[in-house]
Amino acid sequence: MKSLIAALLVSMVAIMGFVKAEYSDKNTESKDKFRYRALSSNNPVKISWETLRDVTFKKKWYPEESVYMLYPTFGPNVNKLNGKEVLLTGYVLPIDAEANLYALSAFPFSACFFCGGAGPESVVGLKFKKTGRKFKTDERHTLRGTLKLNADNIYELNYNIEGAEIADE
């Protein structure tokens, strides 16, 4: 009788272990499917200014303007984000408010790329989905839109967010 009870207990433990392992595998599979859906859907990727520092610059001669300018070589982490929907928080800087031209900066106006000592990787051009809203200098916002890398058009910033809209209001 004792051996029968022991055999039943061993069988139950073995069955419970199998059921737990099967449940665990199914649970992992559903998590992986969820993770895949999250990465493959249009959920924006929250990026930081540190992420945008994955770039190096070399001086390059631009004959159309007769000037040397910094030419970017984007690193692999930034290249993966090109064309992706992102969220980025920073300070809004009016470039030409009447023309709806703004930039997002890692730093306030007094320390930004244009006025302070920051590098070109610390500003992002904003191309808004809807025009008409006027921003004050140094308003801090999180913006959502499609990140576009720019190495060749010297009349635009190296980073741009197209279809930008405020995500924190």
Side-chain angles (χ1 to χ4, degrees), residues 34-53:
F34 175 76
R35 190 175 307 124
Y36 175 75
R37 275 196 310 270
L39 290 174
S40 63
S41 70
N42 288 334
N43 292 335
V45 178
K46 186 168 175 58
I47 62 172
S48 69
W49 292 101
E50 184 66 30
T51 304
L52 298 181
R53 291 176 67 187

Side-chain angles (χ1 to χ4, degrees), residues 38-167:
L39 290 174
S40 63
S41 70
N42 288 334
N43 292 335
V45 178
K46 186 168 175 58
I47 62 172
S48 69
W49 292 101
E50 184 66 30
T51 304
L52 298 181
R53 291 176 67 187
D54 185 22
V55 61
T56 57
F57 295 92
K58 285 191 238 176
K59 285 186 179 179
K60 180 179 175 181
W61 178 253
Y62 288 89
E64 61 270 26
E65 293 295 331
S66 298
V67 67
Y68 279 99
M69 295 181 74
L70 294 176
Y71 182 83
T73 301
F74 301 107
N77 294 328
V78 170
N79 271 318
K80 284 190 260 185
L81 295 170
N82 191 29
K84 303 276 193 231
E85 190 173 21
V86 298
L87 288 170
L88 181 62
T89 302
Y91 298 91
V92 179
L93 305 176
I95 306 300
D96 183 349
E98 294 305 313
N100 203 42
L101 292 175
Y102 292 92
L104 191 67
S105 174
F107 306 104
F109 181 73
S110 62
C112 79
F113 170 63
F114 304 110
C115 305
E121 72 281 359
S122 67
V123 288
V124 173
L126 298 174
K127 297 177 181 179
F128 284 98
K129 186 183 259 187
K130 296 178 186 173
T131 59
R133 163 122 189 227
K134 302 294 183 208
F135 294 90
K136 295 178 184 170
T137 301
D138 288 344
E139 280 188 51
R140 189 163 165 80
H141 287 289
T142 299
L143 286 121
R144 173 188 198 145
T146 304
L147 182 68
K148 297 290 184 170
L149 307 183
N150 172 40
D152 299 314
N153 184 348
I154 64 171
Y155 304 106
E156 290 189 4
L157 296 174
N158 299 128
Y159 295 118
N160 293 284
I161 295 181
E162 295 181 357
E165 54 190 354
I166 296 174

